């Protein structure tokens, strides 16, 4: 990532680039979900080499860099005071940026591990409102190993099948 920002950048350009990066990120996530839903996804180089994680890292680094650049510009005092008057969220109300969590795995070989696996999976995936059932099922199937994976091998990745697993 660039250590310094070019003198040609201004607040408007950085905001436009932030918007563009978010748009690209939405397209990348959509494409990722389409690849993950492919019948042979687990053998696809994109999945086996964790390309999504690498793209996610570049996205995060780009956002960080653009955010740092944005701090170089004077704050819009008028809009900040208007925001306070409307009682909108302040920066203190925003959630902390936490490290990325890996999904757990469950082999089915030790039933005592089920409760912990199910609780973590429920929190990270099942209860996530913006994740579609087909994607949730793909995540579940990638978390299952050994016996558990064998038992669910024939489950086709369809939204209706998620509720039955």
């Amino acid at each position: 990532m660039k250590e310094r920002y070019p003198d040609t950048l201004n607040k408007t350009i950085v905001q436009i680039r932030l918007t563009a990066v978010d748009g690209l990120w939405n397209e990348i996530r959509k494409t990722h979900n389409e690849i993950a839903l492919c019948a042979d996804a687990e053998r696809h180089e994109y999945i086996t080499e964790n390309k999504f994680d690498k793209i996610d890292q570049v996205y995060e680094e780009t956002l960080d860099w653009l955010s740092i650049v944005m701090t170089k510009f004077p704050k819009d005092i008028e809009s900040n005071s208007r925001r306070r008057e409307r009682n909108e969220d302040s920066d203190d109300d925003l959630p902390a940026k936490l490290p990325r969590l890996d999904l757990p795995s469950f082999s089915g070989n030790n039933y005592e591990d089920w409760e912990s696996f199910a609780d973590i999976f429920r929190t990270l995936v099942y209860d996530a409102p913006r994740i579609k059932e087909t994607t949730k099922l793909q995540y579940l199937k990638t978390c299952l190993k050994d016996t558990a994976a064998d038992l669910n091998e024939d489950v086709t990745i369809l939204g209706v099948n998620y509720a039955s697993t």
Side-chain angles (χ1 to χ4, degrees):
M1 199 53 49
K2 299 176 183 174
E3 295 298 320
R4 301 179 64 200
Y5 64 97
D7 294 333
T8 57
L9 287 180
N10 61 42
K11 189 173 185 176
T12 302
I13 291 172
V14 174
Q15 288 173 329
I16 289 169
R17 289 186 181 169
L18 279 167
T19 302
V21 167
D22 282 338
L24 286 171
W25 182 242
N26 288 333
E27 288 298 315
I28 289 167
R29 288 178 46 207
K30 180 180 172 187
T31 303
H32 168 75
N33 289 338
E34 290 171 2
I35 292 171
L37 294 175
C38 291
D40 64 344
E42 63 276 352
R43 291 187 301 270
H44 196 283
E45 179 182 327
Y46 172 82
I47 299 293
T48 61
E49 294 186 12
N50 295 320
K51 302 267 182 172
F52 182 77
D53 291 341
K54 293 171 186 168
I55 294 167
D56 181 48
Q57 182 178 356
V58 171
Y59 169 71
E60 293 289 333
E61 289 172 358
T62 302
L63 285 183
D64 292 346
W65 185 79
L66 288 170
S67 297
I68 290 168
V69 170
M70 189 61 95
T71 65
K72 308 298 181 190
F73 304 112
K75 293 191 186 234
D76 183 358
I77 297 170
E78 183 179 340
S79 70
N80 284 340
S81 62
R82 271 190 264 142
R83 182 173 57 171
R84 277 190 221 101
E85 288 171 11
R86 291 190 312 260
N87 292 323
E88 288 185 6
D89 292 338
S90 69
D91 290 342
D92 294 337
D93 296 332
L94 296 175
K97 176 134 172 104
L98 298 172
R100 183 186 190 121
L101 293 176
D102 292 327
L103 291 176
S105 63
F106 179 71
S107 68
N109 298 331
N110 188 0
Y111 187 73
E112 290 80 30
D113 296 337
W114 169 252
E115 190 174 338
S116 175
F117 167 79
D119 191 44
I120 294 169
F121 188 85
R122 186 178 304 110
T123 301
L124 297 176
V125 179
Y126 184 83
D127 291 340
R130 295 190 300 187
I131 301 176
K132 294 184 180 191
E133 274 68 25
T134 51
T135 305
K136 289 178 182 182
L137 182 54
Q138 178 65 34
Y139 280 129
L140 178 60
K141 287 187 76 163
T142 61
C143 290
L144 301 178
K145 309 291 180 220
D146 304 329
T147 306
D150 293 342
L151 291 171
N152 288 281
E153 182 177 45
D154 295 330
V155 176
T156 306
I157 303 213
L158 297 170
V160 295
N161 288 344
Y162 182 68
S164 67
T165 55

